[in-house]
Amino acid sequence: EDRDEAARRLGAARRRAATTLDGRVTELMQRLGMPGGRFATRVESRAGGDVSEHGGDEIEFLVSANPGQPPRPLAKVASGGELSRISLALQVATLNATHLPCLVFDEVDAGVGGAVAEMVGRQLHALAASGQVLCVTHLPQVASQADHQVRVRKHSAGGTTRTALEPLDDDARVEELARMLGGTEITARTREHAR
């Protein structure tokens, strides 16, 4: 009886928390290039009242990335770029709930560009206010938002591949952003844009 009562209280708390989470993630989706998108959390009691050490609920995240579409299971409908942005939105939305001293994002900006990439960079920067954020990116809109930038290069020789990390000072950072912006030929105009 105690276990069942604890599971019932946990389920009720999850449903309340889900409402708050859904609102926060949905709001962030609007700013991350998914206008009209919605996030929803389905919390349902397990069939037959089955209770485990994690309670008695089945939990599923649902998403509608486009207006007019009903939310469907995140695992089935989100593209890679959408999944990356929703993951970022979840991290930002739960920032005050837990403290993670270091977050690592590997190409969280996959499938985005332009103004959306800049917004992704801004959200990553906001996350960095409460802990360390490491982000691998190929987009200058994201890299330009960082407090510090490190260039990552791979070198292959003799059948082995090594990775070198190089912290960039202000001048080197401008050069790297210019390379990301302009490609093979870096012009004065590209450097100015990078600055």
Side-chain angles (χ1 to χ4, degrees), residues 101-118:
C102 183
L103 296 170
V104 180
F105 293 96
D106 186 7
E107 298 186 36
V108 70
D109 50 18
V112 302
V116 174
E118 184 176 346

Side-chain angles (χ1 to χ4, degrees), residues 66-90:
N66 302 299
Q69 294 179 342
R72 297 185 48 216
L74 177 65
K76 294 181 181 176
V77 299
S79 69
E82 291 165 346
L83 195 56
S84 296
R85 287 177 280 162
I86 292 166
S87 170
L88 176 59
L90 280 164

Side-chain angles (χ1 to χ4, degrees), residues 16-51:
R16 287 190 303 274
T19 300
T20 302
L21 178 68
D22 295 350
R24 288 181 182 161
V25 173
T26 295
E27 179 187 331
L28 288 163
M29 287 172 66
Q30 311 313 299
R31 291 189 263 159
L32 292 172
M34 291 182 272
R38 285 187 7 224
F39 183 86
T41 307
R42 182 183 61 82
V43 181
E44 293 181 0
S45 297
R46 283 197 194 100
D50 186 29
V51 176

Side-chain angles (χ1 to χ4, degrees), residues 66-167:
N66 302 299
Q69 294 179 342
R72 297 185 48 216
L74 177 65
K76 294 181 181 176
V77 299
S79 69
E82 291 165 346
L83 195 56
S84 296
R85 287 177 280 162
I86 292 166
S87 170
L88 176 59
L90 280 164
Q91 292 292 337
V92 172
T94 60
L95 189 59
N96 295 328
T98 61
H99 177 70
L100 299 173
C102 183
L103 296 170
V104 180
F105 293 96
D106 186 7
E107 298 186 36
V108 70
D109 50 18
V112 302
V116 174
E118 184 176 346
M119 292 308 301
V120 168
R122 288 181 184 179
Q123 292 300 320
L124 289 165
H125 193 263
L127 271 177
S130 67
Q132 184 180 38
V133 174
L134 302 174
C135 178
V136 177
T137 184
H138 296 282
L139 296 178
Q141 297 95 324
V142 174
S144 68
Q145 302 290 326
D147 292 323
H148 304 281
Q149 192 171 348
V150 176
R151 180 177 24 232
V152 180
R153 290 190 180 172
K154 289 184 181 179
H155 303 281
S156 297
T160 63
T161 301
R162 296 190 185 272
T163 302
L165 303 175
E166 176 189 354

